Structure formats: C-alpha cells, structure tokens
Amino acid sequence: MANFPFKLSFPSFLSPSRSQSKPSHHNPAPYSLLPKMQAQEIQLQPSQVQTAPQNDQKEPINQPTPSSLMDTSNLLPPSRQTCTVPKPISTTKSSSNKLKLIPLIFLIYFEVAGGPYGAEESIQAVGPLYAIIGFFIFPFLWGVPESLVTAELATALPGNGGFVVWADRAFGPFFGSLMGTWKYLSCVINIGAYPPMCADYISRAYPPAAAGPGRSVAISITVVLLCLLNYTGLSVVGWGAVVLAVVTLAPFVLITVMAMRMLQPKRWMVQVEKKDWRQFLNILFWNLNYWDSASTMAGEVEQPEKTFPKGLAIAVVICSVSYFLPVMAGTGAIDSPPEAWVNGYFADVADMIGGNWLKYWIQAGAVLSSIGLYEAQLSSGAFQLLGMADLGLLPSVFAVRAPKFDTPWVGILLSCIITLTISFLPFEDIVATANILYSLGMLLEFATFLWLRMKYPDLKRPYRVPLGIPGLIVMCLFPSVLLGYVIAVASRRVFLLSAVLTVFGIAVHYSMRYCRSRGLLKFTDNEGLEDEQTEKERIVLGDEEEINGVV
C-alpha cells in the first residue's frame, strides 16, 4: 500500500522547471493560522523572483538588496521543497470560537471512546484476564503511534482537513481526495449507529419508540436535534463534551471505587473454552480508533503547535484508564461468567455493586455518551469537507460558514442527511465496511507521515516525533499489521462494498476535476489561481522568515 502512491504521484516532486509546465489546481500561497505561526516553506528559483518598482518599496534597515534576495535561494539545502497549508476560503471570525486545551482533550476522547460502553463483549470473547491486558496495552500500541503521527503533522500543516491536507501535500490531489473519501465515509457510517442506540434507550421510557413509525420518529428527532446543537459552534460542542465526559465517567469511577473492597483476583483467571481472538481484536479496534479525527479541525484550535500534542497525550491516558479500570474492577468484584458479559452488562454490574440508582446512571450515561460521540465525529466530518474545499478538492460551497456561529453548515447538513439515511439500514456489514475504509485511510496516513519526513526533512515541525526514519518505521509497523489484519479478515460482501465505495471516491475526484475545468462549479482555486502571480511568498531559513519578492 505504501509503495503504490509513490509511483503514481512521483511527477509532483519534479523540479520546479519541469513541474510548472502544467499548472496545479492548488493555491500554494501559505498563510498564518496563528499570530506567531510561521508560514511553511516555499522554494523559489532565482528566475522566479521579480522585484517590485522602486517607488513601491519601503526598505527597512538591513533589508537585503534585490540581488541578494535572488541569491538567498542558493542557501537552501537541496532537500527543501514546497510544502504549504492550503489558503482558507474563510476562517473563524472570533478567537472565542477557537478550541482550547480542555475541550480539545474531550473532543478527542469522544472521537475515540466515549466511555467503556461496548467493552463487555471483549470479556465474553477471551475472558477477563486477556480483556484487562488488552485494554491496558492496546491504547499504547495503537493509540500512541497514531497520536504521535497526528501531533507532528497537525502542528506542521495545521489547516482544516487534517489528514486530507497531509496526503494531498505528500502524494498529490488524487490521494488527498481518496483519503478524504475513505475517512469521511467511515466517519458518517460510524456515527449512523448512534441515533438508533439513543432510540433504543428512549424506547425503555417510551415503548412506541421501539419499532415501527415511533422508532423512525425517535431517530429523526434525535438526528435533527444533534445537528442543531452542532450548528451552534465548535466551542459549544467542545465544552459540551467536557460536561458529557464528567457525567458519563462518574458512575464508572464509583463502580471502580466500590468494587475495591469486593475484589478477588482469582475471578480474573476464569477461562473461556473457545477464545474468539478475531472478535476480541475487532472490539479493541472499534473502541480505540479515530485518534486522528480531531486533526480535521486543526484550523479551529488555539495554538495548535502546543495544544495538539498535550491534548492527544492526555486523551490517550484518559481513554486507556476509562476502559482498563472498570473492566478490571467489574470482573474482579462479581462472579458472573464470561458469557454473561454482553453489551449493556455494565448496568447490571452497577446494580450488583451499588444498587438501582447506579444502574440507572449507567443507562443514562450510555445515551449521553452516544450524544458526545455523535457530536464530536459530526464536527470532524464537517470540518474535513471544509478543508477539502480549501484545497480545491470540493466546491467552495462546503467552506461557507454560518453567519453567527462560524460553523461549516453545508458539511453539517450533508453529514446529517447521510447519517439519517444510514440509521435506518441494517448495520452489520456496513460497520465492517467502515472499519475497512478507515483502515485503508490509516495505511495511507502512515505512508504519508513517513514520506513527508523523508521528502521534507526541513519542514518546520513545532512538534516532532523524536525518532529517525528507522525508528518511525518500527513505530508504524504494529498499527499497519493490525490494519492489514482488519482488512484481511473481512467477508467477501464487505470487500465488495468497500471496493464500490472506493470506486465512488475515485469518480468523485475526476468529476470534480471535470467540473473545475469546465467552470461548472466554483472552487477555491478558480479565484485563487489568478492571484498566484501577485501573492508574496516566503522562504523559511531555520526559524527566520524573509520576504523574497513578488512572484
């Protein structure tokens, strides 16, 4: 998988004199997302530099002369290449809407976990001991490498769109678009499971919502209300995630504390006659993936070069502890056999340990957790579409923001329509398809990470994984093997559905190219290409920027 994009995208790395014969559809003008964030590197050849008329220039003291500006490019190492963040169509109008550290942590938490709901069947699959070990080790074997990749690339190329921007800058627009299709479809398919889950819990208080028209109404109302909440702004969603996390994690903290006096380690040694390792790994993967989803909102984060690494590191610990401790406490405090641990069994465990009040709290927490998961992932998908519009991969309408709340309302609306449709479909094979699409996207993301590190060694990285290329390859090896396994064990029907959706993604890319060439739709670069000849470019030498003239 890693070798395939290298071969097809090689022309994008030709020298400027050869690659400029075909104009790119990108707008390569760098921009600053933060007051002190420097623009990314752009290499200018002496023949490209033109000096402005003398009467238009105001030379500061010690400013280089035009001739010295032309010679400055010779100081750049041969390996330095163009690597920029796409110029945004629109940015958030107020710093009050920027995501700060605390809400970012819990948005990442709800992108990934949302609590230990759904972990019960891992105990049924392999027994309590292996489940405890799995939830202790897996977040670090899988979550840490993906978080490190996300932290480095989100701070080096901190534009909205996240992994789409990275793949586009590494391998070109085709793979950027394909990455966008894989990850976006995986996201909207994934969140399509949460409204029916909410309807299931609503049906316990209102039985007509269990089936028929009543269930359809319950699902529809849930989707509409959650989308309206998302429309009110990313800051609202982020702080809402903080409140939801406190409410949903609190009963599991109580279970863990109350269970301490009842723990008997021998209960952890109960064995399952026939261990289902395939189901076990799928459960771990399903509960602990999507670490990179918050990168699609990097343009909305306050000081991403500092905030993202901290947020990801803290979120990894919270996610690991939120699974590990309740599983350890629940299995060690009661004598229930492994086969009793079905989805929702934590509510029964809470009843046995603390009483009915704790059971009802767990059940209410499951609904609130579904809301948090839906909101976080809906935001990620909508801002991914906005980032793709910034890149020119989608029409500029996807970058239009709501006048008051600065949210990409077109992306939110599209995601909600797709989610509402999927919510009424059988979900077994579709969920497996979401896993395959996500796995394909992650394999491309690891390849992107390694390629950008090798091809652009001097790209400014406010956070840099402290490993050389051999160490990075080893770091990405286990996650890549796991992703390959998830793909390999899929059924033939899932393979077919994934292939159809991949072909659909390819068709979207080429149809967008056709619409752009014919002027059928408005794209970012339709208005940006005309301005490329007047935009000021920058060269980054170490930590210093110098205005290098007018292209």
Side-chain angles (χ1 to χ4, degrees):
M1 182 67 185
N3 293 327
F4 181 59
F6 298 163
K7 182 177 180 181
L8 291 182
S9 62
F10 180 77
S12 63
F13 298 108
L14 295 174
S15 64
S17 60
R18 294 176 61 189
S19 62
Q20 287 173 1
S21 60
K22 294 184 179 181
S24 171
H25 73 275
H26 295 313
N27 183 349
Y31 69 100
S32 177
L33 289 170
L34 301 168
K36 295 184 179 180
M37 177 65 71
Q38 292 182 347
Q40 304 301 322
E41 294 93 331
I42 292 190
Q43 182 178 12
L44 297 176
Q45 300 298 322
S47 61
Q48 294 177 290
V49 180
Q50 301 174 1
T51 59
Q54 187 66 30
N55 57 2
D56 291 337
Q57 290 187 352
K58 295 182 181 180
E59 290 191 355
I61 298 175
N62 297 328
Q63 182 175 354
T65 64
S67 60
S68 64
L69 286 173
M70 294 173 62
D71 294 337
T72 304
S73 62
N74 295 328
L75 299 176
L76 293 171
S79 59
R80 189 181 296 282
Q81 302 285 339
T82 300
C83 193
T84 67
V85 179
K87 183 179 179 181
I89 299 173
S90 62
T91 56
T92 184
K93 299 175 183 177
S94 172
S95 60
S96 63
N97 286 329
K98 290 285 187 180
L99 274 178
K100 296 176 175 59
L101 177 61
I102 298 301
L104 177 64
I105 290 171
F106 289 99
L107 272 179
I108 295 173
Y109 170 74
F110 277 110
E111 296 275 11
V112 176
Y117 304 100
E120 296 96 334
E121 289 191 352
S122 66
I123 301 166
Q124 187 183 75
V126 295
L129 180 61
Y130 290 110
I132 292 169
I133 294 173
F135 280 111
F136 179 75
I137 294 178
F138 192 83
F140 297 95
L141 292 177
W142 166 253
V144 168
E146 189 177 358
S147 297
L148 290 174
V149 169
T150 302
E152 178 169 314
L153 294 181
T155 56
L157 299 169
N160 287 326
F163 37 74
V164 178
V165 177
W166 312 337
D168 178 275
R169 291 308 183 243
F171 303 130
F174 174 80
F175 286 99
S177 179
L178 191 58
M179 171 76 88
T181 298
W182 283 336
K183 289 295 190 75
Y184 178 72
L185 290 177
S186 173
C187 173
V188 293
I189 289 172
N190 188 42
I191 63 178
Y194 302 131
M197 189 181 300
C198 289
D200 290 338
Y201 282 97
I202 292 172
S203 67
R204 299 188 179 188
Y206 183 67
R215 181 175 179 82
S216 299
V217 171
I219 290 175
S220 300
I221 292 175
T222 300
V223 170
V224 171
L225 290 178
L226 294 180
C227 290
L228 289 175
L229 177 61
N230 205 275
Y231 177 80
T232 59
L234 195 55
S235 181
V236 173
V237 173
W239 285 109
V242 175
V243 175
L244 290 175
V246 171
V247 174
T248 57
L249 285 176
F252 290 100
V253 172
L254 293 175
I255 287 177
T256 301
V257 172
M258 293 178 179
M260 291 301 175
R261 59 183 174 81
M262 305 167 61
L263 286 180
Q264 294 184 20
K266 66 179 182 180
R267 291 172 175 152
W268 296 330
M269 304 302 171
V270 176
Q271 297 296 312
V272 175
E273 291 186 7
K274 187 177 180 181
K275 295 179 177 61
D276 191 341
W277 295 106
R278 174 180 173 179
Q279 181 187 11
F280 176 60
L281 288 175
N282 278 331
I283 291 171
L284 290 177
F285 184 75
W286 178 258
N287 282 278
L288 291 165
N289 57 12
Y290 292 95
W291 290 99
D292 60 337
S293 292
S295 69
T296 63
M297 302 175 283
E300 312 301 304
V301 175
E302 186 178 79
Q303 294 185 313
E305 76 281 5
K306 297 179 180 179
T307 307
F308 250 104
K310 291 180 182 178
L312 285 163
I314 296 172
V316 167
V317 175
I318 293 176
C319 288
S320 176
V321 170
S322 69
Y323 281 104
F324 168 72
L325 289 181
V327 170
M328 182 181 68
T331 54
I334 61 175
D335 287 318
S336 298
E339 55 268 22
W341 287 80
V342 297
N343 279 335
Y345 193 67
F346 264 122
D348 296 325
V349 173
D351 189 14
M352 287 182 274
I353 292 176
N356 282 337
W357 65 274
L358 192 55
K359 174 182 179 179
Y360 296 143
W361 193 349
I362 291 287
Q363 290 175 338
V367 178
L368 296 176
S369 176
S370 298
I371 292 173
L373 288 161
Y374 186 93
E375 290 297 323
Q377 295 180 28
L378 177 61
S379 295
S380 174
F383 277 96
Q384 178 192 322
L385 296 181
L386 181 148
M388 293 178 73
D390 285 345
L391 281 166
L393 299 175
L394 289 177
S396 57
V397 66
F398 285 99
V400 175
R401 292 179 184 253
K404 183 177 180 180
F405 300 111
D406 287 336
T407 46
W409 67 270
V410 177
I412 293 174
L413 180 61
L414 176 63
S415 300
C416 289
I417 292 173
I418 296 175
T419 299
L420 188 60
T421 303
I422 291 174
S423 297
F424 296 102
L425 299 177
F427 225 71
E428 292 78 9
D429 285 343
I430 294 179
V431 168
T433 303
N435 276 344
I436 285 193
L437 295 176
Y438 177 79
S439 299
L440 291 171
M442 280 308 307
L443 287 172
L444 179 56
E445 186 173 318
F446 285 132
T448 295
F449 171 68
L450 295 173
W451 185 250
L452 286 173
R453 180 65 82 88
M454 291 185 292
K455 189 65 179 179
Y456 306 118
D458 299 311
L459 175 66
K460 184 182 177 184
R461 294 170 169 86
Y463 174 81
R464 185 184 183 94
V465 180
L467 294 172
I469 296 300
L472 296 177
I473 293 173
V474 173
M475 183 188 80
C476 296
L477 183 60
F478 173 79
S480 298
V481 171
L482 175 63
L483 293 168
Y485 173 80
V486 170
I487 296 172
V489 299
S491 67
R492 184 177 301 178
R493 185 164 53 181
V494 170
F495 267 121
L496 179 60
L497 183 55
S498 301
V500 170
L501 293 176
T502 299
V503 171
F504 168 76
I506 295 172
V508 167
H509 171 69
Y510 285 106
S511 64
M512 291 298 102
R513 285 186 58 180
Y514 177 82
C515 291
R516 183 188 305 112
S517 65
R518 299 288 183 176
L520 301 179
L521 295 171
K522 185 179 181 182
F523 290 82
T524 306
D525 51 287
N526 284 342
E527 53 191 36
L529 283 176
E530 185 177 348
D531 296 334
E532 286 181 17
Q533 304 303 316
T534 59
E535 292 279 0
K536 288 186 176 181
E537 309 268 35
R538 297 175 186 268
I539 290 182
V540 180
L541 297 174
D543 292 329
E544 297 181 2
E545 294 180 347
E546 294 182 22
I547 301 297
N548 204 37
V550 181
V551 178

